[in-house]
Amino acid sequence: MNKTITIDGKSIPFEDGQTIMDAAIAAGVYIPHLCHNPEFTPHGSCKLCTVKVNGRTCSACTFPAMEGQDVLNNTQALTDDRRRITQMLFVEGNHFCPSCEKTGNCQLQAVAYHLNMLDNHFPLFYPHREMDASHPEVMIDHNRCIFCTLCVRASQQHDGKDVFAISGRGINKHLVVNAPSGLLKETDLDVTDKAAHVCPTGAILIKRTGYQVPIGERIYDHHEIDHVSLAAAASPATAPSLAVNTEDSQHGE
Amino acid sequence: MKQFIHDLAKLHEGQATHLLQILRDVQARFHYIPDAAIEQLAVLLSIPRTHIIGVVEFYSFLHLTPRGQYELLLSDSITDHMLGKHALFSYFAQQLQVTVGEVRGDGLVSLDNASCTGLCDQGPAGLVNGYALSRLDKPRIDQIVALINQQKPVEQWPAELFSVTDNIQKSGLLLDTPLQPGEALSALFKRGLPETLAEISQAGLRGRGGAGYTTAWKWQLCAEGSKEEGLQRYVVCNADEGEPGTFKDRVLLNSYAHQVFEGMTVCAAIINAQHGFLYLRGEYLYLVDKLQAILTERREAGLLGNNILNQGLNFDIEIRLGAGAYICGEESALIESLEGKMGIPRNRPPYPVTSGYLGKPTVVNNVETFVAATHITVNGGAWFAAVGTEQSKGSKILSISGDCARPGIYEYPFGTTIQAILQDCGASDVLGVQIGGPSGTFISDQEFARKLAFEDLATGGSFIVFNNSRNLLEVVNNFTHFFAHESCGFCTPCRVGTALLKKQLDKIMEGHGSAGDVVALEELGRLIKQHSHCGLGQTAANPVLSTLERYPELYQRQLKKISYEPGFDLDAALDIARRMANRDDAGAHLAQVDAVDIGGDYE
């Protein structure tokens, strides 16, 4: 007898050790997320995957699935709040989609489309943030960092390195790299590292690959993020046009 | 410097979990954390330099750029403001010829703000090189300025500048009952461990930090969680009382430390822990020597260490200091900090009772909870449960400050009315009381019949009285800035939300708000409360939300126009756009009715 939870009234099987997000993805149910990537330890910080579990607010990516859970995911109230949280991410940094190389391949932008975000709602912070173009092949545009820590986790958990970290407190949080000078060129980051390709926004970009895929022909120009996300999780190997396309387009392969 | 860092790392046996303690010493010695020290420590502790930079940038008392040889901080708590902090701060800056937030040209002195330093009953307060300064006034400031300009070492400054009194105004169940060191441990072994846990359960003791989790349950979960043979368990005393307006742990640690340590030892015996930590907020640095002496005394008396009271119990306690981060009062953030990391609350489950310090089962309790456990161990559960209400047994120690004749420490049975407390502390013409600090509740003068109890007004102990001369919005503004400053930044709703809330409130305070801004303020508050990762974020909007509910007119008075009448016709202004888009459906029209209604309601 399989163990199940319900998400929006639909019965979803799960195995012990799975989070609500794991169970949902396996069952083809999309829960919006940005800091989550099934390949790495869940972080639970962006709060886009907020769901109601038996009336209690939980992060689906970190909360364990347990028998008897009645989960609300796709409700108007949650969608409205997720839109606000996405707007917070937009105003906190400097996200100018039309001038960003990542436009069309950007998960932040795609989630915003998915949630029908039509404005910033909140006043913009216009923070002063630096660019780091010191590395021969990879650049960091701190303006677009949303502190999801995916690069941090990818470097530690996949690349066996420690290139990135998040430092600072509160609204002064910022991405730092592991070099005495604080510059990317002095780290042991290699362009083939997972950490260089995992950024959901345009904060970490591969040099000399910009605009090889024209705007209008990019992933989210033609597919909603829920489809892309679920297809990639279902069969990463057979869905190159979706999941790996971000990397491919940046590699220019 | 190389030798200093080398010796320091050696003293701490190269353990990365000691990073925060090591960095505190580096800061004390050099008044910043030099790059070279970071490089050296990264090697000696085998951690990436980014880990060290992260910790330095997280804690308020650590700095990557040099501070003055005399690092002066003034407490920015609302209680210090009520005692005239603002004018004193300007006077201080002027006399020292230093700009707030900066270092004087000669590098001798720096002056800045600190969050509440826990001397609210004897403020305005401050810190010099980490040591608490009390009752600041102009003569004292003149004295301090002279001492600094003479470059007299802080150790040689007159003791009265640092004098902190207990200020116990009213004692009750716990503070009135004297106990000898070792009395509870003797009673524990005489009665038996499971029997003592049963007494604590019967006592109905709940956590005194404010959340009110049942203590006996927590201990039992920790003891029973894993049957793994030889599994290390930990007892942690949370002495990080950072909630503005709270200072009762300061007094308990100053005068009742034996009872705190004994309660921890009782817990250790019951859950089978060998190691304990007292996580002391950095602001209470001045208590460390005294506490170390008491620990030594207890070891010599056979009350700590190996084979305690010849009962085969091995347990010892280590003191670890914080470095200026309110969030470390949250138990999982505190554990992260104990591990030498940034104080970022963990995802739960797992809870500390199953996976705490270094992933091992850990009990974290408040200072007062351990004191109460000590008393229950001696006097029994019934003795404790005879006091208080059905759901809140025993007594609560309050830290009372603000507009009252007799601020200080008061112990009350649970169930006492706010009215009775206000009478005792000599408060008159009261506008309202902030109960439980900024993260708690503001109650108005219509609610003084309410009771001190988990089921009514739960509090960690902060009790700030405001009289009718106070501007409540300034209070709310102070609290809102506090939360934005103390947000760890982990989750979006709190990191961005508290910063937005601060901006939004500032806008209204500065007279640039309109009716829609109050609506936006409320919506933002709700989002932060509902979606934040931990208790800090979930309570950060309480000051705004609880005063909006009680005093909407206070906010309305700040607005540009009470009744919002737009200067032009919004819908008419869209006419050209409608014609160009060839649209005339409902979505192409803007209703002004809503806006006018909002304005109307506010009158």
Side-chain angles (χ1 to χ4, degrees):
Chain A
M1 184 70 188
N2 275 339
K3 296 182 176 180
T4 58
I5 57 174
T6 63
I7 300 183
D8 294 330
K10 190 177 156 195
S11 183
I12 306 282
F14 75 94
E15 287 162 23
D16 283 334
Q18 281 191 317
T19 61
I20 292 173
M21 179 70 84
D22 294 335
I25 289 174
V29 173
Y30 175 70
I31 303 176
H33 57 268
L34 281 170
C35 75
H36 184 64
N37 180 323
E39 288 181 60
F40 309 109
T41 313
H43 196 237
S45 61
C46 77
K47 298 299 170 196
L48 273 184
C49 73
T50 297
V51 290
K52 289 270 183 189
V53 181
N54 299 336
R56 181 180 156 194
T57 302
C58 295
S59 301
C61 73
T62 56
F63 205 77
M66 283 180 283
E67 197 81 63
Q69 284 173 339
D70 184 13
V71 180
L72 294 181
N73 170 41
N74 194 11
T75 69
Q76 192 57 51
L78 281 171
T79 300
D80 289 347
D81 287 0
R82 287 168 180 164
R83 187 185 313 116
R84 287 280 179 265
I85 293 170
T86 309
Q87 286 163 325
M88 285 182 180
L89 288 172
F90 268 88
V91 300
E92 175 190 29
N94 297 309
H95 299 276
F96 306 117
C97 299
S99 64
C100 177
E101 202 287 319
K102 198 66 177 275
T103 187
N105 284 333
C106 171
Q107 291 179 31
L108 177 66
Q109 185 189 41
V111 161
Y113 282 142
H114 180 76
L115 297 168
N116 195 27
M117 177 183 137
L118 300 174
D119 65 355
N120 284 318
H121 185 73
F122 300 115
L124 287 148
F125 284 69
Y126 297 119
H128 181 77
R129 296 195 192 161
E130 303 287 339
M131 301 262 290
D132 179 349
S134 63
H135 192 282
E137 291 167 293
V138 184
M139 60 176 277
I140 304 178
D141 186 342
H142 289 280
N143 290 294
R144 303 165 186 162
C145 180
I146 57 168
F147 319 115
C148 68
T149 74
L150 275 171
C151 58
V152 179
R153 286 176 280 161
S155 184
Q156 288 170 349
Q157 296 170 21
H158 184 275
D159 306 331
K161 300 180 183 180
D162 239 317
V163 176
F164 299 100
I166 301 289
S167 184
R169 190 168 90 185
I171 201 68
N172 299 315
K173 266 207 163 356
H174 57 113
L175 184 67
V176 291
V177 298
N178 194 1
S181 62
L183 292 173
L184 197 60
K185 67 174 177 187
E186 278 188 34
T187 67
D188 53 356
L189 180 79
D190 191 273
V191 70
T192 57
D193 284 356
K194 187 94 180 171
H197 300 276
V198 79
C199 181
T201 76
I204 300 176
L205 295 172
I206 309 299
K207 290 187 176 177
R208 289 177 295 279
T209 62
Y211 299 102
Q212 288 185 351
V213 177
I215 291 171
E217 292 176 22
R218 298 178 169 197
I219 305 169
Y220 304 110
D221 292 334
H222 300 286
H223 305 275
E224 277 244 11
I225 192 168
D226 51 349
H227 296 296
V228 177
S229 174
L230 291 170
S235 51
T238 61
S241 61
L242 301 178
V244 196
N245 205 348
T246 316
E247 285 185 34
D248 286 347
S249 67
Q250 286 176 356
H251 283 304
E253 285 162 5
Chain B
M1 179 172 79
K2 217 162 181 167
Q3 193 59 43
F4 178 83
I5 303 285
H6 180 85
D7 293 347
L8 194 57
K10 204 172 165 190
L11 181 72
H12 289 275
E13 296 167 351
Q15 293 188 59
T17 52
H18 289 237
L19 178 63
L20 187 55
Q21 312 307 305
I22 292 170
L23 291 175
R24 282 189 56 98
D25 288 349
V26 176
Q27 175 76 33
R29 173 72 180 75
F30 301 104
H31 303 290
Y32 78 117
I33 314 292
D35 282 345
I38 294 174
E39 294 302 317
Q40 205 182 339
L41 282 172
V43 175
L44 292 169
L45 306 180
S46 314
I47 49 177
R49 63 171 70 72
T50 44
H51 178 141
I52 303 174
I53 293 167
V55 169
V56 176
E57 293 199 304
F58 190 86
Y59 294 92
S60 294
F61 295 169
L62 304 176
H63 301 274
L64 287 176
T65 52
R67 309 307 294 160
Q69 288 168 47
Y70 294 88
E71 292 178 60
L72 277 170
L73 296 171
L74 283 204
S75 176
D76 196 39
S77 169
I78 189 69
T79 53
D80 295 286
H81 278 276
M82 291 159 77
L83 293 164
K85 182 243 172 178
H86 189 74
L88 280 180
F89 207 32
S90 311
Y91 182 73
F92 220 152
Q94 193 191 337
Q95 296 305 106
L96 284 170
Q97 293 175 302
V98 64
T99 312
V100 172
E102 287 177 19
V103 185
R104 197 164 79 182
D106 61 359
L108 191 60
V109 59
S110 55
L111 179 67
D112 212 337
N113 277 306
S115 293
C116 178
T117 58
L119 295 181
C120 322
D121 58 330
Q122 39 209 301
L127 296 166
V128 58
N129 293 350
Y131 289 93
L133 295 162
S134 61
R135 300 188 174 83
L136 292 171
D137 53 17
K138 282 192 176 177
R140 281 199 169 195
I141 286 173
D142 291 340
Q143 199 183 354
I144 291 167
V145 171
L147 287 164
I148 288 173
N149 288 335
Q150 292 159 23
Q151 304 199 27
K152 184 155 282 202
V154 171
E155 304 82 64
Q156 292 171 28
W157 287 18
E160 76 256 17
L161 289 172
F162 303 101
S163 108
V164 178
T165 52
D166 277 356
N167 214 355
I168 298 175
Q169 300 285 342
K170 183 176 174 7
S171 50
L173 191 66
L174 302 181
L175 301 180
D176 261 347
T177 313
L179 286 182
Q180 291 305 311
E183 212 178 329
L185 287 173
S186 302
L188 168 77
F189 291 121
K190 198 171 156 205
R191 189 191 289 114
L193 303 178
E195 292 79 4
T196 299
L197 182 61
E199 291 292 332
I200 292 169
S201 175
Q202 191 203 338
L205 176 62
R206 295 170 66 174
R208 268 28 183 173
Y213 196 80
T214 306
T215 306
W217 202 359
K218 191 185 262 187
W219 293 13
Q220 189 152 1
L221 282 172
C222 185
E224 291 179 350
S226 169
K227 298 291 174 208
E228 191 186 323
E229 202 52 43
L231 180 67
Q232 184 74 249
R233 289 181 172 79
Y234 295 93
V235 177
V236 178
C237 178
N238 182 348
D240 193 49
E241 61 170 355
E243 190 70 45
T246 318
F247 47 87
K248 51 142 188 115
D249 293 346
R250 178 195 90 206
V251 176
L252 290 174
L253 290 165
N254 188 48
S255 297
Y256 298 82
H258 272 290
Q259 297 180 21
V260 178
F261 294 140
E262 195 140 332
M264 292 174 71
T265 314
V266 168
C267 175
I270 289 174
I271 69 164
N272 191 18
Q274 291 82 49
H275 204 96
F277 295 102
L278 176 78
Y279 186 89
L280 185 68
R281 68 184 309 222
E283 290 81 349
Y284 293 167
L285 174 66
Y286 72 96
L287 287 171
V288 170
D289 288 347
K290 188 171 183 177
L291 291 168
Q292 293 288 15
I294 291 173
L295 287 176
T296 304
E297 196 185 313
R298 291 183 70 82
R299 283 181 200 114
E300 285 165 358
L303 301 173
L304 212 54
N306 285 333
N307 197 14
I308 291 170
L309 291 180
N310 296 316
Q311 297 289 328
L313 172 65
N314 301 327
F315 177 69
D316 213 325
I317 296 170
E318 196 183 317
I319 298 172
R320 294 273 182 91
L321 279 158
Y326 167 77
I327 187 61
C328 290
E330 197 279 342
E331 62 176 6
S332 66
L334 185 153
I335 291 170
E336 288 283 300
S337 183
L338 277 178
E339 293 181 0
K341 302 175 189 163
M342 298 189 274
I344 294 175
R346 294 177 176 175
N347 284 301
R348 290 172 298 173
Y351 292 90
V353 286
T354 53
S355 179
Y357 182 67
L358 303 178
K360 302 288 187 289
T362 304
V363 161
V364 185
N365 274 135
N366 184 264
V367 174
E368 190 182 344
T369 313
F370 283 120
V371 170
T374 300
H375 281 269
I376 294 165
T377 304
V378 173
N379 296 307
W383 168 80
F384 191 80
V387 176
T389 72
E390 190 53 39
Q391 291 171 56
S392 314
K393 304 294 189 194
S395 63
K396 183 73 195 89
I397 300 172
L398 297 180
S399 322
I400 300 186
S401 61
D403 295 315
C404 62
R406 293 173 293 279
I409 296 294
Y410 292 73
E411 184 181 5
Y412 285 101
F414 272 115
T416 306
T417 63
I418 302 307
Q419 184 64 56
I421 297 169
L422 288 171
Q423 223 147 38
D424 286 350
C425 69
S428 55
D429 190 30
V430 182
L431 168 70
V433 185
Q434 185 74 31
I435 294 178
S439 72
T441 316
F442 185 91
I443 62 160
S444 76
D445 57 356
Q446 303 302 303
E447 301 168 75
F448 293 165
R450 291 181 67 180
K451 293 183 171 70
L452 190 66
F454 290 108
E455 60 271 30
D456 190 357
L457 291 166
T459 167
S462 176
F463 190 102
I464 310 173
V465 186
F466 299 99
N467 69 22
N468 280 305
S469 74
R470 303 297 175 183
N471 179 349
L472 200 49
L473 280 188
E474 273 170 24
V475 175
V476 174
N477 201 38
N478 174 276
F479 291 168
T480 303
H481 279 243
F482 165 76
F483 284 118
H485 180 257
E486 296 296 340
S487 167
C488 84
F490 172 78
C491 72
T492 315
C494 178
R495 181 182 68 244
V496 188
T498 55
L500 283 169
L501 198 68
K502 178 175 114 170
K503 282 185 177 197
Q504 184 72 8
L505 190 60
D506 282 347
K507 182 183 177 190
I508 294 170
M509 291 284 291
E510 286 158 12
H512 300 304
S514 64
D517 285 309
V518 176
V519 179
L521 190 72
E522 193 164 8
E523 188 211 27
L524 188 54
R526 184 194 60 76
L527 277 168
I528 300 169
K529 192 182 177 89
Q530 215 165 326
H531 293 287
S532 289
H533 177 65
C534 78
L536 187 155
Q538 288 157 16
T539 57
N542 280 0
V544 164
L545 295 175
S546 66
T547 50
L548 259 178
E549 184 189 338
R550 288 168 173 82
Y551 306 94
E553 71 284 357
L554 268 183
Y555 290 84
Q556 299 315 319
R557 225 178 287 153
Q558 288 293 125
L559 302 183
K560 263 198 150 142
K561 283 179 188 166
I562 291 174
S563 175
Y564 176 65
E565 291 285 340
F568 63 99
D569 185 347
L570 278 172
D571 193 57
L574 284 175
D575 195 38
I576 299 170
R578 269 193 299 269
R579 264 188 286 138
M580 287 174 72
N582 198 19
R583 276 179 64 177
D584 201 23
D585 56 326
H589 286 273
L590 263 183
Q592 293 201 28
V593 188
D594 290 350
V596 174
D597 267 359
I598 288 165
D601 285 346
Y602 287 153
E603 278 190 320

